[in-house]
Amino acid sequence: FFFGRFLCISMSRSATISRKTNETSIDIELNLDGTGASEINTGIGFLDHMVTALAKHGRFYLKMSCEGDTHIDDHHTTEDCGIALGQAFKQALGEPRGIQRFGEAHCPLDEALSRAVVDISGRPHADVNLKLTREKLGELSCEMIPHFMQSF
């Protein structure tokens, strides 16, 4: 489109990912310039809730579906959803030029204060300190929440 005398080219920051393993089959559509709308179906209710909140508050469009071996446990589904979501973000960002490399935010959530510090440097590392005292939230093992974030 034209803005004054300048031709502006709109770059699509979106991705489509299909990840298939012996344990899971995952399909993701991501648009980083969305509105926060999402359609999430991982087969694990609390994981759906977490990813839906991530899309809503991150204001990106996300459609994620997963068929996994949840009849065994929640490990492969949770881990592979995190890996596939990370792949989708990396693809959607493309060459990360013109974006802020890092950012931080604090968010009060009922009785908790959440803090996130993110660095998009390409060097993988996650330090997740949740101090959860329950074994599970719904059908999601609490130990899998940090693992999801580390896989992402």
Side-chain angles (χ1 to χ4, degrees), residues 34-56:
T35 63
S38 63
E39 300 173 48
I40 312 298
N41 183 9
T42 65
I44 302 172
F46 196 80
L47 182 58
D48 292 354
H49 169 73
M50 281 185 5
V51 175
T52 298
L54 183 64
K56 177 182 177 181

Side-chain angles (χ1 to χ4, degrees), residues 12-146:
S12 174
R13 298 189 315 155
S14 59
T16 301
I17 298 288
S18 287
R19 177 180 168 82
K20 310 241 185 284
T21 67
N22 289 333
E23 297 83 21
T24 62
S25 176
I26 300 169
D27 293 301
I28 292 179
E29 295 175 27
L30 171 67
N31 183 338
L32 296 177
D33 300 308
T35 63
S38 63
E39 300 173 48
I40 312 298
N41 183 9
T42 65
I44 302 172
F46 196 80
L47 182 58
D48 292 354
H49 169 73
M50 281 185 5
V51 175
T52 298
L54 183 64
K56 177 182 177 181
H57 296 293
R59 295 188 207 123
F60 53 85
Y61 170 76
L62 178 62
K63 181 176 182 180
M64 175 189 281
S65 64
C66 176
E67 292 182 24
D69 61 355
T70 54
H71 61 284
I72 296 172
D73 67 14
D74 57 346
H75 180 90
H76 293 122
T77 294
T78 305
E79 177 180 58
D80 289 356
C81 283
I83 291 169
L85 189 56
Q87 290 172 336
F89 265 82
K90 184 173 183 175
Q91 180 179 318
L93 283 171
E95 183 66 33
R97 295 186 195 279
I99 64 171
Q100 293 290 328
R101 179 181 150 186
F102 54 88
E104 59 86 25
H106 287 82
C107 183
L109 303 166
D110 297 329
E111 306 86 34
L113 178 62
S114 176
R115 179 181 79 149
V117 179
V118 178
D119 181 354
I120 304 175
S121 65
R123 293 183 300 272
H125 175 77
D127 185 12
V128 183
N129 299 300
L130 300 176
K131 298 183 175 94
L132 297 171
T133 58
R134 301 168 72 172
E135 184 178 327
K136 287 184 150 194
L137 291 167
E139 292 303 310
L140 181 62
S141 304
C142 288
E143 68 187 21
M144 292 309 303
I145 297 171

